[in-house]
PDB file of all heavy atoms in Angstrom:
ATOM      1  N   THR A1520       5.522 -17.484 -10.292  1.00 98.00           N
ATOM      2  CA  THR A1520       5.514 -19.090 -10.288  1.00 98.00           C
ATOM      3  C   THR A1520       6.210 -19.849  -9.152  1.00 98.00           C
ATOM      4  O   THR A1520       6.077 -21.083  -8.985  1.00 98.00           O
ATOM      5  CB  THR A1520       6.109 -19.517 -11.766  1.00 98.00           C
ATOM      6  OG1 THR A1520       7.425 -18.922 -11.690  1.00 98.00           O
ATOM      7  CG2 THR A1520       5.332 -19.099 -12.974  1.00 98.00           C
ATOM      8  N   PRO A1523       5.642 -18.922  -2.228  1.00 98.00           N
ATOM      9  CA  PRO A1523       5.791 -20.016  -1.388  1.00 98.00           C
ATOM     10  C   PRO A1523       4.448 -20.655  -0.853  1.00 98.00           C
ATOM     11  O   PRO A1523       4.508 -21.667  -0.206  1.00 98.00           O
ATOM     12  CB  PRO A1523       6.503 -19.386  -0.193  1.00 98.00           C
ATOM     13  CG  PRO A1523       6.284 -18.006  -0.285  1.00 98.00           C
ATOM     14  CD  PRO A1523       6.003 -17.586  -1.719  1.00 98.00           C
ATOM     15  N   ARG A1527      -0.181 -16.568  -1.014  1.00 98.00           N
ATOM     16  CA  ARG A1527       0.904 -15.585  -1.546  1.00 98.00           C
ATOM     17  C   ARG A1527       0.786 -15.494  -2.990  1.00 98.00           C
ATOM     18  O   ARG A1527       1.111 -14.331  -3.647  1.00 98.00           O
ATOM     19  CB  ARG A1527       2.316 -15.962  -1.026  1.00 98.00           C
ATOM     20  CG  ARG A1527       2.507 -15.815   0.527  1.00 98.00           C
ATOM     21  CD  ARG A1527       2.559 -14.347   0.916  1.00 98.00           C
ATOM     22  NE  ARG A1527       2.730 -14.308   2.416  1.00 98.00           N
ATOM     23  CZ  ARG A1527       2.329 -13.267   3.141  1.00 98.00           C
ATOM     24  NH1 ARG A1527       1.671 -12.373   2.635  1.00 98.00           N
ATOM     25  NH2 ARG A1527       2.829 -13.277   4.393  1.00 98.00           N
ATOM     26  N   GLN A1642      14.877 -17.120   7.377  1.00 98.00           N
ATOM     27  CA  GLN A1642      13.845 -16.147   6.854  1.00 98.00           C
ATOM     28  C   GLN A1642      14.194 -14.668   7.219  1.00 98.00           C
ATOM     29  O   GLN A1642      14.048 -13.732   6.348  1.00 98.00           O
ATOM     30  CB  GLN A1642      12.451 -16.439   7.370  1.00 98.00           C
ATOM     31  CG  GLN A1642      11.901 -17.810   6.714  1.00 98.00           C
ATOM     32  CD  GLN A1642      10.642 -18.143   7.270  1.00 98.00           C
ATOM     33  OE1 GLN A1642      10.463 -18.376   8.452  1.00 98.00           O
ATOM     34  NE2 GLN A1642       9.501 -18.284   6.530  1.00 98.00           N
ATOM     35  N   ARG A1748       9.990  -6.572 -22.570  1.00 98.00           N
ATOM     36  CA  ARG A1748       8.956  -5.738 -23.233  1.00 98.00           C
ATOM     37  C   ARG A1748       8.857  -5.879 -24.773  1.00 98.00           C
ATOM     38  O   ARG A1748       7.815  -5.973 -25.231  1.00 98.00           O
ATOM     39  CB  ARG A1748       8.899  -4.282 -22.751  1.00 98.00           C
ATOM     40  CG  ARG A1748       8.570  -4.058 -21.326  1.00 98.00           C
ATOM     41  CD  ARG A1748       7.385  -4.753 -20.714  1.00 98.00           C
ATOM     42  NE  ARG A1748       6.269  -4.572 -21.641  1.00 98.00           N
ATOM     43  CZ  ARG A1748       5.128  -5.366 -21.621  1.00 98.00           C
ATOM     44  NH1 ARG A1748       5.125  -6.329 -20.757  1.00 98.00           N
ATOM     45  NH2 ARG A1748       4.121  -4.962 -22.424  1.00 98.00           N
ATOM     46  N   ARG A1759      -2.591  -8.586 -32.127  1.00 98.00           N
ATOM     47  CA  ARG A1759      -3.161  -7.222 -32.224  1.00 98.00           C
ATOM     48  C   ARG A1759      -3.726  -6.994 -33.665  1.00 98.00           C
ATOM     49  O   ARG A1759      -4.901  -6.523 -33.927  1.00 98.00           O
ATOM     50  CB  ARG A1759      -2.204  -6.245 -31.815  1.00 98.00           C
ATOM     51  CG  ARG A1759      -1.796  -6.313 -30.335  1.00 98.00           C
ATOM     52  CD  ARG A1759      -1.024  -5.002 -29.956  1.00 98.00           C
ATOM     53  NE  ARG A1759       0.283  -4.924 -30.837  1.00 98.00           N
ATOM     54  CZ  ARG A1759       1.467  -5.548 -30.500  1.00 98.00           C
ATOM     55  NH1 ARG A1759       1.472  -6.272 -29.411  1.00 98.00           N
ATOM     56  NH2 ARG A1759       2.500  -5.315 -31.236  1.00 98.00           N
TER      57      ARG A1759
ATOM     58  N   GLY B 320       2.651 -10.090 -17.409  1.00 96.00           N
ATOM     59  CA  GLY B 320       3.813  -9.239 -17.724  1.00 96.00           C
ATOM     60  C   GLY B 320       4.194  -9.438 -19.126  1.00 96.00           C
ATOM     61  O   GLY B 320       5.109  -8.659 -19.662  1.00 96.00           O
ATOM     62  N   PRO B 323       0.204 -10.135 -25.020  1.00 97.00           N
ATOM     63  CA  PRO B 323       0.339  -9.434 -26.368  1.00 97.00           C
ATOM     64  C   PRO B 323      -0.126  -7.967 -26.285  1.00 97.00           C
ATOM     65  O   PRO B 323       0.232  -7.164 -27.018  1.00 97.00           O
ATOM     66  CB  PRO B 323      -0.583 -10.226 -27.317  1.00 97.00           C
ATOM     67  CG  PRO B 323      -1.539 -11.035 -26.406  1.00 97.00           C
ATOM     68  CD  PRO B 323      -0.784 -11.230 -25.135  1.00 97.00           C
ATOM     69  N   GLU B 326      -4.436  -5.267 -21.990  1.00 97.00           N
ATOM     70  CA  GLU B 326      -5.790  -5.768 -21.490  1.00 97.00           C
ATOM     71  C   GLU B 326      -5.873  -7.264 -21.568  1.00 97.00           C
ATOM     72  O   GLU B 326      -6.521  -7.831 -20.742  1.00 97.00           O
ATOM     73  CB  GLU B 326      -6.821  -5.187 -22.541  1.00 97.00           C
ATOM     74  CG  GLU B 326      -7.213  -3.711 -22.516  1.00 97.00           C
ATOM     75  CD  GLU B 326      -6.120  -2.868 -23.291  1.00 97.00           C
ATOM     76  OE1 GLU B 326      -5.158  -3.309 -23.506  1.00 97.00           O
ATOM     77  OE2 GLU B 326      -6.542  -1.666 -23.343  1.00 97.00           O
ATOM     78  N   GLU B 527       9.325 -25.747 -10.146  1.00 98.00           N
ATOM     79  CA  GLU B 527       9.181 -24.219  -9.867  1.00 98.00           C
ATOM     80  C   GLU B 527       8.144 -24.046  -8.966  1.00 98.00           C
ATOM     81  O   GLU B 527       8.401 -23.077  -7.936  1.00 98.00           O
ATOM     82  CB  GLU B 527       8.830 -23.676 -11.255  1.00 98.00           C
ATOM     83  CG  GLU B 527       9.272 -22.251 -11.432  1.00 98.00           C
ATOM     84  CD  GLU B 527       9.185 -21.724 -12.898  1.00 98.00           C
ATOM     85  OE1 GLU B 527       9.232 -22.560 -13.845  1.00 98.00           O
ATOM     86  OE2 GLU B 527       8.823 -20.557 -13.055  1.00 98.00           O
ATOM     87  N   GLN B 532       8.834 -24.407  -0.732  1.00 98.00           N
ATOM     88  CA  GLN B 532       8.430 -25.351   0.275  1.00 98.00           C
ATOM     89  C   GLN B 532       9.452 -26.491   0.355  1.00 98.00           C
ATOM     90  O   GLN B 532       9.599 -27.024   1.384  1.00 98.00           O
ATOM     91  CB  GLN B 532       6.992 -25.847  -0.109  1.00 98.00           C
ATOM     92  CG  GLN B 532       5.940 -24.830   0.095  1.00 98.00           C
ATOM     93  CD  GLN B 532       5.492 -24.650   1.481  1.00 98.00           C
ATOM     94  OE1 GLN B 532       5.712 -25.270   2.458  1.00 98.00           O
ATOM     95  NE2 GLN B 532       4.580 -23.605   1.852  1.00 98.00           N
ATOM     96  N   THR B 539       6.600 -21.023   7.666  1.00 97.00           N
ATOM     97  CA  THR B 539       5.549 -20.301   7.280  1.00 97.00           C
ATOM     98  C   THR B 539       5.893 -19.025   6.533  1.00 97.00           C
ATOM     99  O   THR B 539       6.752 -18.387   6.912  1.00 97.00           O
ATOM    100  CB  THR B 539       4.769 -19.844   8.635  1.00 97.00           C
ATOM    101  OG1 THR B 539       4.442 -20.952   9.309  1.00 97.00           O
ATOM    102  CG2 THR B 539       3.419 -19.174   8.314  1.00 97.00           C
ATOM    103  N   TRP B 540       5.109 -18.688   5.480  1.00 97.00           N
ATOM    104  CA  TRP B 540       5.468 -17.577   4.646  1.00 97.00           C
ATOM    105  C   TRP B 540       4.322 -16.599   4.633  1.00 97.00           C
ATOM    106  O   TRP B 540       4.227 -15.839   3.789  1.00 97.00           O
ATOM    107  CB  TRP B 540       5.717 -18.174   3.222  1.00 97.00           C
ATOM    108  CG  TRP B 540       6.901 -19.166   3.289  1.00 97.00           C
ATOM    109  CD1 TRP B 540       6.793 -20.502   3.357  1.00 97.00           C
ATOM    110  CD2 TRP B 540       8.238 -18.758   3.203  1.00 97.00           C
ATOM    111  NE1 TRP B 540       7.948 -21.089   3.264  1.00 97.00           N
ATOM    112  CE2 TRP B 540       8.980 -20.087   3.217  1.00 97.00           C
ATOM    113  CE3 TRP B 540       9.035 -17.632   3.077  1.00 97.00           C
ATOM    114  CZ2 TRP B 540      10.363 -20.147   3.236  1.00 97.00           C
ATOM    115  CZ3 TRP B 540      10.406 -17.820   3.087  1.00 97.00           C
ATOM    116  CH2 TRP B 540      11.020 -18.958   3.169  1.00 97.00           C
TER     117      TRP B 540
END
Side-chain angles (χ1 to χ4, degrees):
Chain A
T1520 54
R1527 293 293 185 204
Q1642 289 174 299
R1748 289 314 308 160
R1759 295 189 301 275
Chain B
E326 285 84 346
E527 210 171 323
Q532 293 277 351
T539 303
W540 301 93

